[in-house]
Amino acid sequence: MPLHSLQHLSPTAVLGLWQLTETPAELWAQLPQAAAYQALMPATADASRQAQWLAGRALAHTLLQELTAATAADMVVHNDATGRPWLAGPTHNLTLSLSHSGEWVAAVLAAGGRAGVDVEIIRDKAQRLASKFLSTLEWDDAAAAALTAPEAANTHYTRLWSAKETLYKLAAQRGIIFKKQLLLSSFVPEESGEIPATLVLDCAETRHCICYCQPAPGYVLTYCHESFS
């Protein structure tokens, strides 16, 4: 099952989920501009990483047709020096964010503004590394949530990590310190909801809202789109 769902976040932004079941060969057959993508494929990617990489590009082209009705063959997804994806071609000021983990690939495509998306397998890694990316207040909130619902601790810590990854992509800037510049306010953990967030850049603070859900058992998804005012 390739394309899983499309969700319009606004008239100018769409979120897509792809459940990865195809082989790299099957995904190559779905991509326009195959020669261009063959030149861009990371040389060290194994078969699993190739499939995730290709599915991300296939999903980006699907969102492109959904949002703009543009000819997919006119666009090619590149990555800049920071690893962020961007569309080469007549992009109409399009912003693209991509993420993949396990068998899931997620993307947000927006006409104007900025966007971030992250999908993660739920595991204990985020809890083990929490001191490296959570502020003191976030640490206290997470510990309290884990005491209240210990069976959901891995999900909650993975959700926090994912939310910060989405906020990081929204910032579009390297060298960010996650525990000092990407801040999450207190919220009541549920299966889906919103996390108030603050981005601290160049001594200025901006407020944001990170949406979260579980697209499938064992996974967490976070995303955000904001139009420029």
Side-chain angles (χ1 to χ4, degrees):
M1 180 178 179
L3 180 65
H4 178 267
S5 63
L6 292 172
Q7 177 186 349
H8 282 264
L9 305 179
S10 75
T12 60
V14 60
L15 165 70
L17 288 174
W18 188 287
Q19 187 174 12
L20 183 56
T21 60
E22 306 92 335
T23 64
E26 291 169 331
L27 289 164
W28 275 118
Q30 299 183 49
L31 273 181
Q33 303 273 29
Y37 281 117
Q38 286 171 352
L40 295 172
M41 167 72 75
T44 59
D46 59 18
S48 176
R49 295 288 290 181
Q50 286 182 27
Q52 291 175 330
W53 190 90
L54 291 165
R57 274 74 195 155
L59 179 55
H61 283 284
T62 301
L63 298 188
L64 179 66
Q65 292 179 314
E66 174 72 15
L67 187 64
T68 70
T71 303
D74 293 338
M75 310 287 190
V76 175
V77 179
H78 289 258
N79 291 91
D80 65 16
T82 70
R84 289 188 301 128
W86 61 280
L87 284 160
T91 60
H92 310 289
N93 193 31
L94 294 175
T95 298
L96 174 66
S97 184
L98 286 170
S99 180
H100 52 72
S101 185
E103 66 177 13
W104 287 93
V105 180
V108 172
L109 182 69
R114 53 186 178 178
V117 67
D118 186 70
V119 62
E120 299 283 345
I121 296 175
I122 296 171
R123 47 189 173 179
D124 65 355
K125 182 179 180 180
Q127 185 170 4
R128 289 188 285 106
L129 298 178
S131 63
K132 297 184 181 298
F133 68 88
L134 293 182
S135 70
T136 301
L137 289 176
E138 292 166 347
W139 175 281
D140 291 343
D141 284 346
L147 285 174
T148 301
E151 74 286 353
N154 286 339
T155 298
H156 186 58
Y157 281 95
T158 302
R159 182 188 297 125
L160 296 176
W161 168 253
S162 182
K164 291 211 171 191
E165 278 287 306
T166 287
L167 193 58
Y168 173 74
K169 293 178 180 180
L170 204 70
Q173 181 175 311
R174 300 190 76 175
I176 288 177
I177 301 173
F178 275 43
K179 63 192 303 180
K180 294 183 178 180
Q181 295 178 267
L182 308 177
L183 304 178
L184 306 177
S185 299
S186 300
F187 68 102
V188 178
E190 298 178 341
E191 185 172 335
S192 63
E194 298 177 347
I195 305 174
T198 301
L199 179 60
V200 183
L201 292 177
D202 302 322
C203 299
E205 296 185 0
T206 54
R207 302 291 188 265
H208 308 274
C209 183
I210 309 298
C211 299
Y212 68 87
C213 64
Q214 291 184 237
Y219 286 84
V220 162
L221 173 72
T222 61
Y223 57 91
C224 181
H225 164 253
E226 297 175 345
S227 299
F228 289 139
S229 57

